[in-house]
Amino acid sequence: MEVIKYAVCDDEPFMQEKICDYLSEYMKGRSLTSYCIDRFSNGRSLLKSDCDFHLIFLDIQMERPDGMETARILRQRGNRSLLIFVTVLKECVFDAFEVRAHDYLLKPLERDGFTRTMDRAFRFLAQQADKRILVQKGTLCEVILLSRILYCEVQGRKLYIHQSDGGVVDYYDKLEAFERRVDGRFFRCHRSYLVNLDHVRGCRDGRVRLSQGEEIPVSRLRERDLMQALLYYMKERDR
């Protein structure tokens, strides 16, 4: 089983300890032993790490960069860790939505609320972990994780699969056929493009902005549908 990597970023040692205790109890209660927890006392130290975490607990009220600024920098770098804000500030919920936070826990922490948040996070991680697609190029086959696909585009008779590591796989196929093989995280934003909603960071002036900084076109008639699909997907994903 893959080791689940957690990060706890809070400038209060007591709160760090409490989150770590809750995490350990949660994992033990589900007989899960393959995990590690890294602790950070500020946003700077978190940003200096490799940031290759499945889930990050992030305090908002810290010295600069505070938690929200740290989250924005992470997203700008293309980081896709689940973010759970831990704070006393209820009014920051809309900012949390902007950086696509997975959840929002208020201090003082309650064990039941923490458990429900972890249950939702685990359901999401399980859904994303093992889904993959097999692509055949002549006599060669390649397995591609759906979570790593940024978008697909068709040019002529070829389909190009653009991945988060910069790699591109091309083979002969129709976009309609590929669309039937993937799940609900993908949206047909243009007759020639299929985008992974997990990587969408914005939409403006007929362009979709992605997590790695790329931009792809969205049809004028599908722009509104894209935003509705994104909101619906995020809501369903976090149930």
Side-chain angles (χ1 to χ4, degrees), residues 21-50:
D21 287 346
Y22 278 3
L23 266 177
S24 297
E25 291 174 11
Y26 181 89
M27 299 297 283
K28 182 178 179 180
R30 282 152 182 76
S31 300
L32 298 170
T33 58
S34 299
Y35 72 97
C36 62
I37 306 173
D38 287 355
R39 304 187 187 195
F40 303 92
S41 59
N42 53 62
R44 291 191 306 279
S45 57
L46 174 61
L47 292 170
K48 288 179 181 178
S49 72
D50 59 15

mmCIF file of all heavy atoms in Angstrom, residues 21-50:
data_model
loop_
_atom_site.group_PDB
_atom_site.id
_atom_site.type_symbol
_atom_site.label_atom_id
_atom_site.label_comp_id
_atom_site.label_asym_id
_atom_site.label_seq_id
_atom_site.Cartn_x
_atom_site.Cartn_y
_atom_site.Cartn_z
ATOM 1 N N ASP A 21 -2.082 13.966 16.989
ATOM 2 C CA ASP A 21 -2.718 12.947 17.831
ATOM 3 C C ASP A 21 -4.013 12.452 17.202
ATOM 4 O O ASP A 21 -4.274 11.240 17.145
ATOM 5 C CB ASP A 21 -3.003 13.506 19.228
ATOM 6 C CG ASP A 21 -1.745 13.668 20.069
ATOM 7 O OD1 ASP A 21 -0.693 13.109 19.675
ATOM 8 O OD2 ASP A 21 -1.803 14.364 21.098
ATOM 9 N N TYR A 22 -4.825 13.392 16.727
ATOM 10 C CA TYR A 22 -6.085 13.014 16.070
ATOM 11 C C TYR A 22 -5.814 12.162 14.829
ATOM 12 O O TYR A 22 -6.518 11.184 14.551
ATOM 13 C CB TYR A 22 -6.878 14.261 15.677
ATOM 14 C CG TYR A 22 -7.696 14.874 16.798
ATOM 15 C CD1 TYR A 22 -7.659 14.364 18.087
ATOM 16 C CD2 TYR A 22 -8.522 15.968 16.557
ATOM 17 C CE1 TYR A 22 -8.413 14.929 19.111
ATOM 18 C CE2 TYR A 22 -9.288 16.543 17.569
ATOM 19 C CZ TYR A 22 -9.215 16.023 18.846
ATOM 20 O OH TYR A 22 -9.985 16.584 19.848
ATOM 21 N N LEU A 23 -4.797 12.553 14.061
ATOM 22 C CA LEU A 23 -4.446 11.801 12.863
ATOM 23 C C LEU A 23 -4.022 10.375 13.214
ATOM 24 O O LEU A 23 -4.468 9.405 12.579
ATOM 25 C CB LEU A 23 -3.304 12.499 12.126
ATOM 26 C CG LEU A 23 -3.668 13.471 11.012
ATOM 27 C CD1 LEU A 23 -2.392 14.112 10.448
ATOM 28 C CD2 LEU A 23 -4.422 12.772 9.899
ATOM 29 N N SER A 24 -3.164 10.256 14.199
ATOM 30 C CA SER A 24 -2.669 8.938 14.595
ATOM 31 C C SER A 24 -3.811 8.065 15.091
ATOM 32 O O SER A 24 -3.888 6.863 14.763
ATOM 33 C CB SER A 24 -1.598 9.078 15.688
ATOM 34 O OG SER A 24 -0.475 9.789 15.206
ATOM 35 N N GLU A 25 -4.715 8.646 15.873
ATOM 36 C CA GLU A 25 -5.865 7.896 16.368
ATOM 37 C C GLU A 25 -6.767 7.461 15.221
ATOM 38 O O GLU A 25 -7.290 6.337 15.213
ATOM 39 C CB GLU A 25 -6.652 8.743 17.364
ATOM 40 C CG GLU A 25 -5.923 8.979 18.679
ATOM 41 C CD GLU A 25 -6.680 9.934 19.583
ATOM 42 O OE1 GLU A 25 -7.861 10.242 19.277
ATOM 43 O OE2 GLU A 25 -6.099 10.375 20.593
ATOM 44 N N TYR A 26 -6.949 8.353 14.261
ATOM 45 C CA TYR A 26 -7.803 8.027 13.116
ATOM 46 C C TYR A 26 -7.202 6.863 12.329
ATOM 47 O O TYR A 26 -7.907 5.908 11.974
ATOM 48 C CB TYR A 26 -7.955 9.243 12.212
ATOM 49 C CG TYR A 26 -8.846 9.000 11.012
ATOM 50 C CD1 TYR A 26 -10.225 9.210 11.091
ATOM 51 C CD2 TYR A 26 -8.312 8.543 9.810
ATOM 52 C CE1 TYR A 26 -11.044 8.969 9.995
ATOM 53 C CE2 TYR A 26 -9.129 8.306 8.714
ATOM 54 C CZ TYR A 26 -10.491 8.523 8.814
ATOM 55 O OH TYR A 26 -11.295 8.267 7.733
ATOM 56 N N MET A 27 -5.920 6.932 12.050
ATOM 57 C CA MET A 27 -5.269 5.881 11.262
ATOM 58 C C MET A 27 -5.260 4.554 12.020
ATOM 59 O O MET A 27 -5.505 3.491 11.434
ATOM 60 C CB MET A 27 -3.844 6.308 10.911
ATOM 61 C CG MET A 27 -3.755 7.589 10.082
ATOM 62 S SD MET A 27 -4.528 7.456 8.460
ATOM 63 C CE MET A 27 -3.286 6.516 7.565
ATOM 64 N N LYS A 28 -5.003 4.611 13.312
ATOM 65 C CA LYS A 28 -4.997 3.402 14.122
ATOM 66 C C LYS A 28 -6.390 2.781 14.162
ATOM 67 O O LYS A 28 -6.542 1.554 14.089
ATOM 68 C CB LYS A 28 -4.524 3.717 15.540
ATOM 69 C CG LYS A 28 -4.433 2.497 16.448
ATOM 70 C CD LYS A 28 -3.923 2.881 17.822
ATOM 71 C CE LYS A 28 -3.849 1.652 18.731
ATOM 72 N NZ LYS A 28 -3.355 2.015 20.102
ATOM 73 N N GLY A 29 -7.407 3.618 14.272
ATOM 74 C CA GLY A 29 -8.782 3.118 14.329
ATOM 75 C C GLY A 29 -9.206 2.411 13.059
ATOM 76 O O GLY A 29 -10.153 1.619 13.062
ATOM 77 N N ARG A 30 -8.545 2.677 11.960
ATOM 78 C CA ARG A 30 -8.852 2.022 10.680
ATOM 79 C C ARG A 30 -7.756 1.051 10.268
ATOM 80 O O ARG A 30 -7.689 0.635 9.111
ATOM 81 C CB ARG A 30 -9.076 3.090 9.597
ATOM 82 C CG ARG A 30 -10.460 3.700 9.737
ATOM 83 C CD ARG A 30 -10.528 5.110 9.229
ATOM 84 N NE ARG A 30 -11.871 5.655 9.434
ATOM 85 C CZ ARG A 30 -12.340 6.068 10.611
ATOM 86 N NH1 ARG A 30 -11.569 5.968 11.686
ATOM 87 N NH2 ARG A 30 -13.567 6.538 10.730
ATOM 88 N N SER A 31 -6.908 0.710 11.234
ATOM 89 C CA SER A 31 -5.843 -0.286 11.030
ATOM 90 C C SER A 31 -4.951 0.070 9.847
ATOM 91 O O SER A 31 -4.550 -0.793 9.062
ATOM 92 C CB SER A 31 -6.456 -1.685 10.824
ATOM 93 O OG SER A 31 -7.222 -2.066 11.948
ATOM 94 N N LEU A 32 -4.650 1.362 9.711
ATOM 95 C CA LEU A 32 -3.785 1.851 8.645
ATOM 96 C C LEU A 32 -2.448 2.261 9.259
ATOM 97 O O LEU A 32 -2.389 3.128 10.122
ATOM 98 C CB LEU A 32 -4.432 3.040 7.932
ATOM 99 C CG LEU A 32 -5.771 2.748 7.234
ATOM 100 C CD1 LEU A 32 -6.431 4.051 6.787
ATOM 101 C CD2 LEU A 32 -5.557 1.835 6.038
ATOM 102 N N THR A 33 -1.392 1.624 8.810
ATOM 103 C CA THR A 33 -0.079 1.887 9.399
ATOM 104 C C THR A 33 0.900 2.540 8.423
ATOM 105 O O THR A 33 1.962 3.001 8.835
ATOM 106 C CB THR A 33 0.543 0.575 9.915
ATOM 107 O OG1 THR A 33 0.639 -0.357 8.825
ATOM 108 C CG2 THR A 33 -0.319 -0.037 11.021
ATOM 109 N N SER A 34 0.549 2.562 7.142
ATOM 110 C CA SER A 34 1.467 3.120 6.132
ATOM 111 C C SER A 34 1.229 4.616 5.960
ATOM 112 O O SER A 34 0.532 5.050 5.038
ATOM 113 C CB SER A 34 1.293 2.386 4.797
ATOM 114 O OG SER A 34 1.592 1.018 4.928
ATOM 115 N N TYR A 35 1.779 5.403 6.858
ATOM 116 C CA TYR A 35 1.626 6.856 6.768
ATOM 117 C C TYR A 35 2.779 7.537 7.489
ATOM 118 O O TYR A 35 3.492 6.930 8.309
ATOM 119 C CB TYR A 35 0.293 7.311 7.361
ATOM 120 C CG TYR A 35 0.201 7.226 8.867
ATOM 121 C CD1 TYR A 35 0.446 8.351 9.661
ATOM 122 C CD2 TYR A 35 -0.125 6.032 9.494
ATOM 123 C CE1 TYR A 35 0.364 8.281 11.043
ATOM 124 C CE2 TYR A 35 -0.223 5.956 10.872
ATOM 125 C CZ TYR A 35 0.031 7.072 11.642
ATOM 126 O OH TYR A 35 -0.049 6.997 13.016
ATOM 127 N N CYS A 36 2.983 8.813 7.172
ATOM 128 C CA CYS A 36 3.967 9.625 7.873
ATOM 129 C C CYS A 36 3.420 11.040 8.014
ATOM 130 O O CYS A 36 2.586 11.470 7.207
ATOM 131 C CB CYS A 36 5.317 9.630 7.151
ATOM 132 S SG CYS A 36 5.273 10.324 5.492
ATOM 133 N N ILE A 37 3.878 11.740 9.041
ATOM 134 C CA ILE A 37 3.413 13.103 9.325
ATOM 135 C C ILE A 37 4.627 14.017 9.441
ATOM 136 O O ILE A 37 5.513 13.767 10.266
ATOM 137 C CB ILE A 37 2.586 13.173 10.618
ATOM 138 C CG1 ILE A 37 1.429 12.181 10.598
ATOM 139 C CG2 ILE A 37 2.066 14.600 10.828
ATOM 140 C CD1 ILE A 37 0.674 12.102 11.924
ATOM 141 N N ASP A 38 4.676 15.050 8.622
ATOM 142 C CA ASP A 38 5.719 16.069 8.729
ATOM 143 C C ASP A 38 5.112 17.329 9.346
ATOM 144 O O ASP A 38 3.992 17.720 8.997
ATOM 145 C CB ASP A 38 6.295 16.409 7.349
ATOM 146 C CG ASP A 38 7.173 15.297 6.800
ATOM 147 O OD1 ASP A 38 7.408 14.315 7.533
ATOM 148 O OD2 ASP A 38 7.609 15.404 5.640
ATOM 149 N N ARG A 39 5.858 17.954 10.245
ATOM 150 C CA ARG A 39 5.367 19.148 10.933
ATOM 151 C C ARG A 39 6.122 20.393 10.454
ATOM 152 O O ARG A 39 7.326 20.344 10.218
ATOM 153 C CB ARG A 39 5.547 19.014 12.442
ATOM 154 C CG ARG A 39 4.890 17.786 13.051
ATOM 155 C CD ARG A 39 4.990 17.845 14.553
ATOM 156 N NE ARG A 39 4.535 16.620 15.194
ATOM 157 C CZ ARG A 39 4.256 16.522 16.495
ATOM 158 N NH1 ARG A 39 4.406 17.589 17.279
ATOM 159 N NH2 ARG A 39 3.852 15.379 17.005
ATOM 160 N N PHE A 40 5.356 21.496 10.342
ATOM 161 C CA PHE A 40 5.937 22.774 9.932
ATOM 162 C C PHE A 40 5.340 23.874 10.807
ATOM 163 O O PHE A 40 4.142 23.888 11.074
ATOM 164 C CB PHE A 40 5.637 23.064 8.459
ATOM 165 C CG PHE A 40 6.121 21.992 7.523
ATOM 166 C CD1 PHE A 40 5.275 20.949 7.166
ATOM 167 C CD2 PHE A 40 7.409 22.020 7.018
ATOM 168 C CE1 PHE A 40 5.707 19.946 6.309
ATOM 169 C CE2 PHE A 40 7.858 21.025 6.160
ATOM 170 C CZ PHE A 40 7.009 19.984 5.806
ATOM 171 N N SER A 41 6.197 24.810 11.241
ATOM 172 C CA SER A 41 5.744 25.870 12.134
ATOM 173 C C SER A 41 5.371 27.148 11.391
ATOM 174 O O SER A 41 4.885 28.098 11.998
ATOM 175 C CB SER A 41 6.821 26.177 13.179
ATOM 176 O OG SER A 41 8.027 26.571 12.547
ATOM 177 N N ASN A 42 5.582 27.181 10.072
ATOM 178 C CA ASN A 42 5.220 28.362 9.280
ATOM 179 C C ASN A 42 5.136 27.992 7.808
ATOM 180 O O ASN A 42 5.595 26.915 7.383
ATOM 181 C CB ASN A 42 6.213 29.508 9.494
ATOM 182 C CG ASN A 42 7.650 29.094 9.253
ATOM 183 O OD1 ASN A 42 8.013 28.699 8.151
ATOM 184 N ND2 ASN A 42 8.479 29.174 10.300
ATOM 185 N N GLY A 43 4.551 28.894 7.026
ATOM 186 C CA GLY A 43 4.391 28.643 5.606
ATOM 187 C C GLY A 43 5.698 28.548 4.853
ATOM 188 O O GLY A 43 5.823 27.798 3.885
ATOM 189 N N ARG A 44 6.701 29.315 5.274
ATOM 190 C CA ARG A 44 7.988 29.307 4.587
ATOM 191 C C ARG A 44 8.623 27.920 4.599
ATOM 192 O O ARG A 44 9.135 27.453 3.577
ATOM 193 C CB ARG A 44 8.943 30.317 5.231
ATOM 194 C CG ARG A 44 8.562 31.775 5.018
ATOM 195 C CD ARG A 44 9.695 32.691 5.450
ATOM 196 N NE ARG A 44 10.130 32.418 6.825
ATOM 197 C CZ ARG A 44 9.524 32.869 7.916
ATOM 198 N NH1 ARG A 44 8.462 33.661 7.798
ATOM 199 N NH2 ARG A 44 9.986 32.577 9.112
ATOM 200 N N SER A 45 8.608 27.289 5.760
ATOM 201 C CA SER A 45 9.232 25.966 5.855
ATOM 202 C C SER A 45 8.456 24.927 5.042
ATOM 203 O O SER A 45 9.051 24.029 4.443
ATOM 204 C CB SER A 45 9.334 25.531 7.319
ATOM 205 O OG SER A 45 8.048 25.524 7.944
ATOM 206 N N LEU A 46 7.135 25.057 5.000
ATOM 207 C CA LEU A 46 6.338 24.140 4.183
ATOM 208 C C LEU A 46 6.677 24.308 2.699
ATOM 209 O O LEU A 46 6.852 23.333 1.969
ATOM 210 C CB LEU A 46 4.848 24.383 4.412
ATOM 211 C CG LEU A 46 3.882 23.602 3.512
ATOM 212 C CD1 LEU A 46 4.057 22.094 3.699
ATOM 213 C CD2 LEU A 46 2.438 24.004 3.789
ATOM 214 N N LEU A 47 6.783 25.562 2.261
ATOM 215 C CA LEU A 47 7.065 25.828 0.852
ATOM 216 C C LEU A 47 8.469 25.390 0.457
ATOM 217 O O LEU A 47 8.723 25.130 -0.723
ATOM 218 C CB LEU A 47 6.885 27.327 0.557
ATOM 219 C CG LEU A 47 5.447 27.840 0.642
ATOM 220 C CD1 LEU A 47 5.420 29.364 0.572
ATOM 221 C CD2 LEU A 47 4.592 27.241 -0.469
ATOM 222 N N LYS A 48 9.386 25.305 1.414
ATOM 223 C CA LYS A 48 10.741 24.855 1.119
ATOM 224 C C LYS A 48 10.841 23.337 1.035
ATOM 225 O O LYS A 48 11.830 22.801 0.538
ATOM 226 C CB LYS A 48 11.710 25.365 2.190
ATOM 227 C CG LYS A 48 11.990 26.861 2.121
ATOM 228 C CD LYS A 48 12.940 27.282 3.229
ATOM 229 C CE LYS A 48 13.194 28.789 3.186
ATOM 230 N NZ LYS A 48 14.083 29.220 4.291
ATOM 231 N N SER A 49 9.823 22.643 1.528
ATOM 232 C CA SER A 49 9.827 21.179 1.456
ATOM 233 C C SER A 49 9.459 20.744 0.049
ATOM 234 O O SER A 49 9.127 21.559 -0.809
ATOM 235 C CB SER A 49 8.830 20.608 2.463
ATOM 236 O OG SER A 49 7.500 20.841 2.023
ATOM 237 N N ASP A 50 9.487 19.431 -0.195
ATOM 238 C CA ASP A 50 9.122 18.967 -1.537
ATOM 239 C C ASP A 50 7.612 19.066 -1.773
ATOM 240 O O ASP A 50 7.150 18.991 -2.911
ATOM 241 C CB ASP A 50 9.599 17.535 -1.758
ATOM 242 C CG ASP A 50 9.018 16.550 -0.747
ATOM 243 O OD1 ASP A 50 8.042 16.885 -0.063
ATOM 244 O OD2 ASP A 50 9.546 15.427 -0.667
#
